[in-house]
Amino acid sequence: MSGNTTRTDAHRGRRREIVFAALTLAASVLFALIVIPTGVTTPSSVKHLPLSPAFLPYLLTIAIGLFALIHMLEAIFAPHIPGEDEDMMSGVHPRWKSRLLMLCALLLVYLLVPDRLGMLLTSVLVTIALLAIGGERRLVILLGVGITVPLLVYLFFAHVAQVPLPTGIFEDWM
């Protein structure tokens, strides 16, 4: 009897993954066909797509669509281990309320602090905090990912896309 229940729960988990992936894929198509063309104004003087203000939104939309497609194909075709599906069915995290409050506090920090500390330092601190909240405890991973990812994103936006970002306490250095 419990074998049938486990199988049914696993199928529900797979269905949930397929629906999530399909909705994400549909949202990316909606963004690519309707939202970006109507919401992002591209000057007629811009001849090359990488220089256009619409380039990054299209790039991110395509990436999200590809990830959603891969996720859907994996949910449909990949073999699933019933024990993993059972673990996923157990419900919400026992400390979900405290994690939600910490996330809201971090978002507030990310909104209010960049003018004082600068976008790069704020992003590093928030990324490390998010990784720690997510359960990462290895210091090498916390610092490696927490510094490298925000630094690369900052360098892209500040130097490649030439988006002015707050420098905060590093104003004289940058």
Side-chain angles (χ1 to χ4, degrees), residues 137-156:
R137 297 292 175 252
R138 295 170 291 184
L139 190 61
V140 173
I141 301 296
L142 282 171
L143 293 177
V145 172
I147 293 170
T148 304
V149 171
L151 180 63
L152 291 174
V153 170
Y154 178 83
L155 290 173
F156 172 79

Side-chain angles (χ1 to χ4, degrees), residues 32-89:
L33 297 178
I34 297 171
V35 175
I36 296 172
T38 59
V40 178
T41 306
T42 303
S44 60
S45 61
V46 176
K47 301 293 183 213
H48 303 288
L49 181 62
L51 300 175
S52 167
F55 176 68
L56 191 58
Y58 275 122
L59 186 67
L60 294 175
T61 301
I62 290 168
I64 289 169
L66 285 174
F67 286 130
L69 183 63
I70 291 168
H71 186 77
M72 184 174 10
L73 292 173
E74 182 181 26
I76 293 170
F77 296 113
H80 288 268
I81 301 169
E84 289 178 358
D85 290 334
E86 286 175 22
D87 292 342
M88 288 175 41
M89 293 294 132

Side-chain angles (χ1 to χ4, degrees), residues 7 94 127 164:
R7 227 177 270 139
T127 303

Side-chain angles (χ1 to χ4, degrees), residues 4-147:
N4 289 340
T5 305
T6 303
R7 227 177 270 139
T8 304
D9 288 343
H11 287 296
R12 267 194 223 122
R14 285 184 124 175
R15 246 182 281 139
R16 191 178 316 154
E17 294 293 321
I18 293 168
V19 168
F20 172 75
L23 289 174
T24 305
L25 185 60
S28 67
V29 169
L30 178 77
F31 266 74
L33 297 178
I34 297 171
V35 175
I36 296 172
T38 59
V40 178
T41 306
T42 303
S44 60
S45 61
V46 176
K47 301 293 183 213
H48 303 288
L49 181 62
L51 300 175
S52 167
F55 176 68
L56 191 58
Y58 275 122
L59 186 67
L60 294 175
T61 301
I62 290 168
I64 289 169
L66 285 174
F67 286 130
L69 183 63
I70 291 168
H71 186 77
M72 184 174 10
L73 292 173
E74 182 181 26
I76 293 170
F77 296 113
H80 288 268
I81 301 169
E84 289 178 358
D85 290 334
E86 286 175 22
D87 292 342
M88 288 175 41
M89 293 294 132
S90 64
V92 296
H93 193 276
R95 295 183 327 187
W96 72 270
K97 290 179 185 177
S98 62
R99 285 183 168 195
L100 181 62
L101 285 174
M102 287 187 280
L103 177 63
C104 290
L106 283 174
L107 290 175
L108 193 61
V109 165
Y110 207 65
L111 178 69
L112 300 175
V113 175
D115 289 335
R116 291 180 193 90
L117 289 182
M119 184 58 82
L120 180 58
L121 183 57
T122 304
S123 297
V124 166
L125 295 174
V126 168
T127 303
I128 291 172
L130 285 171
L131 287 168
I133 290 170
E136 183 58 56
R137 297 292 175 252
R138 295 170 291 184
L139 190 61
V140 173
I141 301 296
L142 282 171
L143 293 177
V145 172
I147 293 170

